PDB file of all heavy atoms in Angstrom:
ATOM      1  N   ARG A 257     -41.657 129.369 -28.295  1.00 98.00           N
ATOM      2  CA  ARG A 257     -41.990 129.610 -26.907  1.00 98.00           C
ATOM      3  C   ARG A 257     -43.483 129.908 -26.708  1.00 98.00           C
ATOM      4  O   ARG A 257     -43.945 129.972 -25.586  1.00 98.00           O
ATOM      5  CB  ARG A 257     -41.089 130.662 -26.267  1.00 98.00           C
ATOM      6  CG  ARG A 257     -41.264 132.046 -26.841  1.00 98.00           C
ATOM      7  CD  ARG A 257     -40.335 133.037 -26.121  1.00 98.00           C
ATOM      8  NE  ARG A 257     -40.748 133.258 -24.754  1.00 98.00           N
ATOM      9  CZ  ARG A 257     -41.663 134.160 -24.387  1.00 98.00           C
ATOM     10  NH1 ARG A 257     -42.239 134.923 -25.284  1.00 98.00           N
ATOM     11  NH2 ARG A 257     -41.935 134.315 -23.119  1.00 98.00           N
ATOM     12  N   ASN A 258     -44.182 130.068 -27.799  1.00 98.00           N
ATOM     13  CA  ASN A 258     -45.630 130.343 -27.670  1.00 98.00           C
ATOM     14  C   ASN A 258     -46.492 129.145 -28.020  1.00 98.00           C
ATOM     15  O   ASN A 258     -47.717 129.270 -28.133  1.00 98.00           O
ATOM     16  CB  ASN A 258     -46.022 131.550 -28.522  1.00 98.00           C
ATOM     17  CG  ASN A 258     -45.504 132.836 -27.909  1.00 98.00           C
ATOM     18  OD1 ASN A 258     -45.877 133.147 -26.785  1.00 98.00           O
ATOM     19  ND2 ASN A 258     -44.644 133.508 -28.604  1.00 98.00           N
ATOM     20  N   ALA A 259     -45.894 127.972 -28.186  1.00 98.00           N
ATOM     21  CA  ALA A 259     -46.654 126.807 -28.628  1.00 98.00           C
ATOM     22  C   ALA A 259     -47.772 126.470 -27.635  1.00 98.00           C
ATOM     23  O   ALA A 259     -48.920 126.204 -28.050  1.00 98.00           O
ATOM     24  CB  ALA A 259     -45.740 125.610 -28.837  1.00 98.00           C
ATOM     25  N   PHE A 260     -47.481 126.495 -26.346  1.00 98.00           N
ATOM     26  CA  PHE A 260     -48.515 126.140 -25.348  1.00 98.00           C
ATOM     27  C   PHE A 260     -49.610 127.205 -25.348  1.00 98.00           C
ATOM     28  O   PHE A 260     -50.788 126.914 -25.265  1.00 98.00           O
ATOM     29  CB  PHE A 260     -47.927 126.071 -23.926  1.00 98.00           C
ATOM     30  CG  PHE A 260     -47.020 124.885 -23.690  1.00 98.00           C
ATOM     31  CD1 PHE A 260     -46.562 124.085 -24.708  1.00 98.00           C
ATOM     32  CD2 PHE A 260     -46.624 124.577 -22.392  1.00 98.00           C
ATOM     33  CE1 PHE A 260     -45.725 123.000 -24.448  1.00 98.00           C
ATOM     34  CE2 PHE A 260     -45.796 123.512 -22.133  1.00 98.00           C
ATOM     35  CZ  PHE A 260     -45.335 122.728 -23.161  1.00 98.00           C
ATOM     36  N   TYR A 261     -49.153 128.459 -25.448  1.00 98.00           N
ATOM     37  CA  TYR A 261     -50.084 129.591 -25.463  1.00 98.00           C
ATOM     38  C   TYR A 261     -51.063 129.446 -26.613  1.00 98.00           C
ATOM     39  O   TYR A 261     -52.291 129.556 -26.452  1.00 98.00           O
ATOM     40  CB  TYR A 261     -49.232 130.856 -25.573  1.00 98.00           C
ATOM     41  CG  TYR A 261     -49.921 132.179 -25.549  1.00 98.00           C
ATOM     42  CD1 TYR A 261     -50.168 132.833 -24.347  1.00 98.00           C
ATOM     43  CD2 TYR A 261     -50.297 132.810 -26.736  1.00 98.00           C
ATOM     44  CE1 TYR A 261     -50.763 134.095 -24.324  1.00 98.00           C
ATOM     45  CE2 TYR A 261     -50.896 134.068 -26.722  1.00 98.00           C
ATOM     46  CZ  TYR A 261     -51.128 134.690 -25.507  1.00 98.00           C
ATOM     47  OH  TYR A 261     -51.715 135.935 -25.472  1.00 98.00           O
ATOM     48  N   ASP A 262     -50.514 129.173 -27.799  1.00 98.00           N
ATOM     49  CA  ASP A 262     -51.357 129.056 -29.003  1.00 98.00           C
ATOM     50  C   ASP A 262     -52.289 127.850 -28.895  1.00 98.00           C
ATOM     51  O   ASP A 262     -53.447 127.915 -29.325  1.00 98.00           O
ATOM     52  CB  ASP A 262     -50.466 128.922 -30.244  1.00 98.00           C
ATOM     53  CG  ASP A 262     -49.655 130.175 -30.529  1.00 98.00           C
ATOM     54  OD1 ASP A 262     -49.978 131.240 -29.970  1.00 98.00           O
ATOM     55  OD2 ASP A 262     -48.690 130.078 -31.318  1.00 98.00           O
ATOM     56  N   THR A 263     -51.802 126.786 -28.320  1.00 98.00           N
ATOM     57  CA  THR A 263     -52.662 125.585 -28.167  1.00 98.00           C
ATOM     58  C   THR A 263     -53.825 125.905 -27.219  1.00 98.00           C
ATOM     59  O   THR A 263     -54.956 125.474 -27.471  1.00 98.00           O
ATOM     60  CB  THR A 263     -51.795 124.397 -27.672  1.00 98.00           C
ATOM     61  OG1 THR A 263     -50.738 124.207 -28.589  1.00 98.00           O
ATOM     62  CG2 THR A 263     -52.641 123.115 -27.569  1.00 98.00           C
ATOM     63  N   GLY A 264     -53.525 126.655 -26.169  1.00 98.00           N
ATOM     64  CA  GLY A 264     -54.602 127.067 -25.247  1.00 98.00           C
ATOM     65  C   GLY A 264     -55.619 127.925 -25.944  1.00 98.00           C
ATOM     66  O   GLY A 264     -56.834 127.808 -25.728  1.00 98.00           O
ATOM     67  N   ALA A 265     -55.145 128.807 -26.842  1.00 98.00           N
ATOM     68  CA  ALA A 265     -56.082 129.650 -27.592  1.00 98.00           C
ATOM     69  C   ALA A 265     -56.988 128.781 -28.489  1.00 98.00           C
ATOM     70  O   ALA A 265     -58.198 129.044 -28.626  1.00 98.00           O
ATOM     71  CB  ALA A 265     -55.323 130.674 -28.428  1.00 98.00           C
ATOM     72  N   ALA A 266     -56.399 127.748 -29.055  1.00 99.00           N
ATOM     73  CA  ALA A 266     -57.198 126.856 -29.937  1.00 99.00           C
ATOM     74  C   ALA A 266     -58.247 126.122 -29.097  1.00 99.00           C
ATOM     75  O   ALA A 266     -59.399 125.998 -29.528  1.00 99.00           O
ATOM     76  CB  ALA A 266     -56.267 125.870 -30.636  1.00 99.00           C
ATOM     77  N   VAL A 267     -57.888 125.683 -27.902  1.00 99.00           N
ATOM     78  CA  VAL A 267     -58.878 125.010 -27.061  1.00 99.00           C
ATOM     79  C   VAL A 267     -59.934 125.999 -26.583  1.00 99.00           C
ATOM     80  O   VAL A 267     -61.111 125.648 -26.473  1.00 99.00           O
ATOM     81  CB  VAL A 267     -58.191 124.283 -25.859  1.00 99.00           C
ATOM     82  CG1 VAL A 267     -59.245 123.643 -24.967  1.00 99.00           C
ATOM     83  CG2 VAL A 267     -57.211 123.244 -26.373  1.00 99.00           C
ATOM     84  N   ALA A 268     -59.546 127.254 -26.343  1.00 98.00           N
ATOM     85  CA  ALA A 268     -60.534 128.251 -25.964  1.00 98.00           C
ATOM     86  C   ALA A 268     -61.559 128.394 -27.073  1.00 98.00           C
ATOM     87  O   ALA A 268     -62.774 128.534 -26.805  1.00 98.00           O
ATOM     88  CB  ALA A 268     -59.851 129.597 -25.686  1.00 98.00           C
ATOM     89  N   GLY A 269     -61.119 128.325 -28.344  1.00 98.00           N
ATOM     90  CA  GLY A 269     -62.046 128.348 -29.473  1.00 98.00           C
ATOM     91  C   GLY A 269     -63.026 127.185 -29.409  1.00 98.00           C
ATOM     92  O   GLY A 269     -64.227 127.362 -29.609  1.00 98.00           O
ATOM     93  N   VAL A 270     -62.502 126.017 -29.086  1.00 98.00           N
ATOM     94  CA  VAL A 270     -63.371 124.808 -28.947  1.00 98.00           C
ATOM     95  C   VAL A 270     -64.409 125.062 -27.858  1.00 98.00           C
ATOM     96  O   VAL A 270     -65.613 124.775 -28.045  1.00 98.00           O
ATOM     97  CB  VAL A 270     -62.531 123.560 -28.610  1.00 98.00           C
ATOM     98  CG1 VAL A 270     -63.466 122.345 -28.360  1.00 98.00           C
ATOM     99  CG2 VAL A 270     -61.545 123.240 -29.723  1.00 98.00           C
ATOM    100  N   THR A 271     -63.986 125.607 -26.732  1.00 98.00           N
ATOM    101  CA  THR A 271     -64.934 125.782 -25.603  1.00 98.00           C
ATOM    102  C   THR A 271     -66.040 126.740 -25.957  1.00 98.00           C
ATOM    103  O   THR A 271     -67.217 126.520 -25.622  1.00 98.00           O
ATOM    104  CB  THR A 271     -64.225 126.263 -24.314  1.00 98.00           C
ATOM    105  OG1 THR A 271     -63.738 127.577 -24.498  1.00 98.00           O
ATOM    106  CG2 THR A 271     -63.105 125.357 -23.874  1.00 98.00           C
ATOM    107  N   LEU A 272     -65.703 127.835 -26.676  1.00 98.00           N
ATOM    108  CA  LEU A 272     -66.749 128.825 -26.999  1.00 98.00           C
ATOM    109  C   LEU A 272     -67.705 128.302 -28.083  1.00 98.00           C
ATOM    110  O   LEU A 272     -68.915 128.471 -27.987  1.00 98.00           O
ATOM    111  CB  LEU A 272     -66.112 130.146 -27.397  1.00 98.00           C
ATOM    112  CG  LEU A 272     -65.385 130.840 -26.236  1.00 98.00           C
ATOM    113  CD1 LEU A 272     -64.728 132.147 -26.717  1.00 98.00           C
ATOM    114  CD2 LEU A 272     -66.322 131.138 -25.065  1.00 98.00           C
ATOM    115  N   GLU A 273     -67.138 127.614 -29.080  1.00 98.00           N
ATOM    116  CA  GLU A 273     -67.996 127.031 -30.119  1.00 98.00           C
ATOM    117  C   GLU A 273     -68.921 125.986 -29.465  1.00 98.00           C
ATOM    118  O   GLU A 273     -70.124 125.903 -29.798  1.00 98.00           O
ATOM    119  CB  GLU A 273     -67.124 126.369 -31.204  1.00 98.00           C
ATOM    120  CG  GLU A 273     -67.880 125.875 -32.423  1.00 98.00           C
ATOM    121  CD  GLU A 273     -68.530 127.000 -33.239  1.00 98.00           C
ATOM    122  OE1 GLU A 273     -67.950 128.075 -33.382  1.00 98.00           O
ATOM    123  OE2 GLU A 273     -69.671 126.742 -33.734  1.00 98.00           O
ATOM    124  N   ALA A 274     -68.379 125.224 -28.529  1.00 98.00           N
ATOM    125  CA  ALA A 274     -69.203 124.213 -27.829  1.00 98.00           C
ATOM    126  C   ALA A 274     -70.318 124.902 -27.047  1.00 98.00           C
ATOM    127  O   ALA A 274     -71.490 124.498 -27.138  1.00 98.00           O
ATOM    128  CB  ALA A 274     -68.317 123.411 -26.871  1.00 98.00           C
ATOM    129  N   THR A 275     -70.007 125.988 -26.325  1.00 98.00           N
ATOM    130  CA  THR A 275     -71.015 126.714 -25.567  1.00 98.00           C
ATOM    131  C   THR A 275     -72.128 127.194 -26.449  1.00 98.00           C
ATOM    132  O   THR A 275     -73.325 127.089 -26.144  1.00 98.00           O
ATOM    133  CB  THR A 275     -70.373 127.895 -24.788  1.00 98.00           C
ATOM    134  OG1 THR A 275     -69.235 127.439 -24.081  1.00 98.00           O
ATOM    135  CG2 THR A 275     -71.345 128.515 -23.816  1.00 98.00           C
ATOM    136  N   ALA A 276     -71.741 127.715 -27.631  1.00 98.00           N
ATOM    137  CA  ALA A 276     -72.744 128.241 -28.565  1.00 98.00           C
ATOM    138  C   ALA A 276     -73.696 127.146 -29.049  1.00 98.00           C
ATOM    139  O   ALA A 276     -74.806 127.446 -29.478  1.00 98.00           O
ATOM    140  CB  ALA A 276     -72.048 128.907 -29.746  1.00 98.00           C
ATOM    141  N   ARG A 277     -73.250 125.902 -28.962  1.00 98.00           N
ATOM    142  CA  ARG A 277     -74.056 124.781 -29.456  1.00 98.00           C
ATOM    143  C   ARG A 277     -74.681 123.967 -28.329  1.00 98.00           C
ATOM    144  O   ARG A 277     -75.137 122.841 -28.541  1.00 98.00           O
ATOM    145  CB  ARG A 277     -73.161 123.880 -30.336  1.00 98.00           C
ATOM    146  CG  ARG A 277     -72.760 124.565 -31.613  1.00 98.00           C
ATOM    147  CD  ARG A 277     -71.629 123.826 -32.316  1.00 98.00           C
ATOM    148  NE  ARG A 277     -71.255 124.573 -33.513  1.00 98.00           N
ATOM    149  CZ  ARG A 277     -71.879 124.465 -34.695  1.00 98.00           C
ATOM    150  NH1 ARG A 277     -72.861 123.628 -34.818  1.00 98.00           N
ATOM    151  NH2 ARG A 277     -71.491 125.193 -35.698  1.00 98.00           N
ATOM    152  N   GLY A 278     -74.670 124.524 -27.101  1.00 97.00           N
ATOM    153  CA  GLY A 278     -75.287 123.831 -25.983  1.00 97.00           C
ATOM    154  C   GLY A 278     -74.475 122.683 -25.407  1.00 97.00           C
ATOM    155  O   GLY A 278     -74.977 121.865 -24.659  1.00 97.00           O
ATOM    156  N   LEU A 279     -73.178 122.683 -25.794  1.00 98.00           N
ATOM    157  CA  LEU A 279     -72.239 121.644 -25.280  1.00 98.00           C
ATOM    158  C   LEU A 279     -71.307 122.278 -24.282  1.00 98.00           C
ATOM    159  O   LEU A 279     -71.170 123.503 -24.212  1.00 98.00           O
ATOM    160  CB  LEU A 279     -71.425 121.088 -26.418  1.00 98.00           C
ATOM    161  CG  LEU A 279     -72.143 120.170 -27.379  1.00 98.00           C
ATOM    162  CD1 LEU A 279     -71.711 120.472 -28.806  1.00 98.00           C
ATOM    163  CD2 LEU A 279     -71.883 118.739 -27.048  1.00 98.00           C
ATOM    164  N   PHE A 280     -70.606 121.429 -23.540  1.00 97.00           N
ATOM    165  CA  PHE A 280     -69.623 121.921 -22.580  1.00 97.00           C
ATOM    166  C   PHE A 280     -68.307 121.177 -22.748  1.00 97.00           C
ATOM    167  O   PHE A 280     -68.285 120.046 -23.228  1.00 97.00           O
ATOM    168  CB  PHE A 280     -70.161 121.787 -21.156  1.00 97.00           C
ATOM    169  CG  PHE A 280     -71.282 122.745 -20.899  1.00 97.00           C
ATOM    170  CD1 PHE A 280     -72.596 122.369 -21.109  1.00 97.00           C
ATOM    171  CD2 PHE A 280     -71.019 124.044 -20.513  1.00 97.00           C
ATOM    172  CE1 PHE A 280     -73.627 123.266 -20.907  1.00 97.00           C
ATOM    173  CE2 PHE A 280     -72.051 124.954 -20.333  1.00 97.00           C
ATOM    174  CZ  PHE A 280     -73.359 124.566 -20.513  1.00 97.00           C
ATOM    175  N   VAL A 281     -67.246 121.851 -22.329  1.00 98.00           N
ATOM    176  CA  VAL A 281     -65.891 121.287 -22.377  1.00 98.00           C
ATOM    177  C   VAL A 281     -65.310 121.343 -20.970  1.00 98.00           C
ATOM    178  O   VAL A 281     -65.457 122.403 -20.320  1.00 98.00           O
ATOM    179  CB  VAL A 281     -65.004 122.087 -23.361  1.00 98.00           C
ATOM    180  CG1 VAL A 281     -63.569 121.612 -23.325  1.00 98.00           C
ATOM    181  CG2 VAL A 281     -65.563 122.038 -24.766  1.00 98.00           C
ATOM    182  N   HIS A 282     -64.709 120.276 -20.508  1.00 98.00           N
ATOM    183  CA  HIS A 282     -64.011 120.320 -19.218  1.00 98.00           C
ATOM    184  C   HIS A 282     -62.557 119.917 -19.450  1.00 98.00           C
ATOM    185  O   HIS A 282     -62.261 118.779 -19.805  1.00 98.00           O
ATOM    186  CB  HIS A 282     -64.683 119.387 -18.194  1.00 98.00           C
ATOM    187  CG  HIS A 282     -64.251 119.672 -16.801  1.00 98.00           C
ATOM    188  ND1 HIS A 282     -65.150 119.838 -15.759  1.00 98.00           N
ATOM    189  CD2 HIS A 282     -63.014 119.865 -16.251  1.00 98.00           C
ATOM    190  CE1 HIS A 282     -64.486 120.111 -14.664  1.00 98.00           C
ATOM    191  NE2 HIS A 282     -63.181 120.127 -14.925  1.00 98.00           N
ATOM    192  N   GLN A 283     -61.670 120.899 -19.268  1.00 98.00           N
ATOM    193  CA  GLN A 283     -60.252 120.662 -19.507  1.00 98.00           C
ATOM    194  C   GLN A 283     -59.625 120.009 -18.281  1.00 98.00           C
ATOM    195  O   GLN A 283     -60.069 120.204 -17.154  1.00 98.00           O
ATOM    196  CB  GLN A 283     -59.561 121.983 -19.831  1.00 98.00           C
ATOM    197  CG  GLN A 283     -60.141 122.622 -21.074  1.00 98.00           C
ATOM    198  CD  GLN A 283     -59.615 124.022 -21.308  1.00 98.00           C
ATOM    199  OE1 GLN A 283     -58.436 124.217 -21.539  1.00 98.00           O
ATOM    200  NE2 GLN A 283     -60.477 125.000 -21.267  1.00 98.00           N
ATOM    201  N   MET A 284     -58.556 119.240 -18.530  1.00 98.00           N
ATOM    202  CA  MET A 284     -57.893 118.499 -17.440  1.00 98.00           C
ATOM    203  C   MET A 284     -56.372 118.522 -17.584  1.00 98.00           C
ATOM    204  O   MET A 284     -55.841 118.060 -18.600  1.00 98.00           O
ATOM    205  CB  MET A 284     -58.343 117.036 -17.460  1.00 98.00           C
ATOM    206  CG  MET A 284     -59.792 116.829 -17.125  1.00 98.00           C
ATOM    207  SD  MET A 284     -60.302 115.140 -17.554  1.00 98.00           S
ATOM    208  CE  MET A 284     -60.798 115.349 -19.259  1.00 98.00           C
ATOM    209  N   ALA A 285     -55.715 119.014 -16.529  1.00 98.00           N
ATOM    210  CA  ALA A 285     -54.262 118.837 -16.444  1.00 98.00           C
ATOM    211  C   ALA A 285     -53.939 117.466 -15.834  1.00 98.00           C
ATOM    212  O   ALA A 285     -52.831 116.965 -15.964  1.00 98.00           O
ATOM    213  CB  ALA A 285     -53.662 119.956 -15.585  1.00 98.00           C
ATOM    214  N   GLY A 286     -54.930 116.898 -15.179  1.00 98.00           N
ATOM    215  CA  GLY A 286     -54.734 115.611 -14.466  1.00 98.00           C
ATOM    216  C   GLY A 286     -54.783 114.440 -15.436  1.00 98.00           C
ATOM    217  O   GLY A 286     -55.780 113.744 -15.561  1.00 98.00           O
ATOM    218  N   PHE A 287     -53.681 114.297 -16.143  1.00 98.00           N
ATOM    219  CA  PHE A 287     -53.505 113.120 -16.990  1.00 98.00           C
ATOM    220  C   PHE A 287     -52.013 112.842 -17.115  1.00 98.00           C
ATOM    221  O   PHE A 287     -51.222 113.678 -16.707  1.00 98.00           O
ATOM    222  CB  PHE A 287     -54.160 113.339 -18.361  1.00 98.00           C
ATOM    223  CG  PHE A 287     -53.352 114.134 -19.342  1.00 98.00           C
ATOM    224  CD1 PHE A 287     -52.861 113.534 -20.487  1.00 98.00           C
ATOM    225  CD2 PHE A 287     -53.043 115.468 -19.100  1.00 98.00           C
ATOM    226  CE1 PHE A 287     -52.074 114.251 -21.396  1.00 98.00           C
ATOM    227  CE2 PHE A 287     -52.267 116.185 -20.024  1.00 98.00           C
ATOM    228  CZ  PHE A 287     -51.798 115.575 -21.155  1.00 98.00           C
ATOM    229  N   ASP A 288     -51.698 111.660 -17.630  1.00 98.00           N
ATOM    230  CA  ASP A 288     -50.283 111.264 -17.711  1.00 98.00           C
ATOM    231  C   ASP A 288     -49.773 111.454 -19.150  1.00 98.00           C
ATOM    232  O   ASP A 288     -50.069 110.649 -20.047  1.00 98.00           O
ATOM    233  CB  ASP A 288     -50.191 109.801 -17.280  1.00 98.00           C
ATOM    234  CG  ASP A 288     -48.754 109.284 -17.277  1.00 98.00           C
ATOM    235  OD1 ASP A 288     -47.866 109.954 -17.899  1.00 98.00           O
ATOM    236  OD2 ASP A 288     -48.500 108.230 -16.699  1.00 98.00           O
ATOM    237  N   PRO A 289     -49.007 112.553 -19.373  1.00 98.00           N
ATOM    238  CA  PRO A 289     -48.536 112.827 -20.759  1.00 98.00           C
ATOM    239  C   PRO A 289     -47.651 111.692 -21.296  1.00 98.00           C
ATOM    240  O   PRO A 289     -47.676 111.436 -22.515  1.00 98.00           O
ATOM    241  CB  PRO A 289     -47.794 114.140 -20.643  1.00 98.00           C
ATOM    242  CG  PRO A 289     -47.547 114.379 -19.184  1.00 98.00           C
ATOM    243  CD  PRO A 289     -48.548 113.557 -18.420  1.00 98.00           C
ATOM    244  N   HIS A 290     -46.876 111.066 -20.421  1.00 98.00           N
ATOM    245  CA  HIS A 290     -45.965 109.997 -20.923  1.00 98.00           C
ATOM    246  C   HIS A 290     -46.779 108.806 -21.425  1.00 98.00           C
ATOM    247  O   HIS A 290     -46.457 108.211 -22.454  1.00 98.00           O
ATOM    248  CB  HIS A 290     -45.018 109.556 -19.802  1.00 98.00           C
ATOM    249  CG  HIS A 290     -44.251 110.703 -19.226  1.00 98.00           C
ATOM    250  ND1 HIS A 290     -43.288 111.374 -19.928  1.00 98.00           N
ATOM    251  CD2 HIS A 290     -44.353 111.329 -18.012  1.00 98.00           C
ATOM    252  CE1 HIS A 290     -42.817 112.383 -19.191  1.00 98.00           C
ATOM    253  NE2 HIS A 290     -43.443 112.367 -18.021  1.00 98.00           N
TER     254      HIS A 290
END
Side-chain angles (χ1 to χ4, degrees):
R257 65 180 291 274
N258 287 300
F260 289 11
Y261 182 89
D262 293 345
T263 303
V267 178
V270 175
T271 66
L272 293 179
E273 188 66 37
T275 309
R277 292 166 182 276
L279 288 139
F280 290 92
V281 174
H282 196 130
Q283 299 172 64
M284 293 166 272
F287 81 113
D288 182 343
H290 305 292

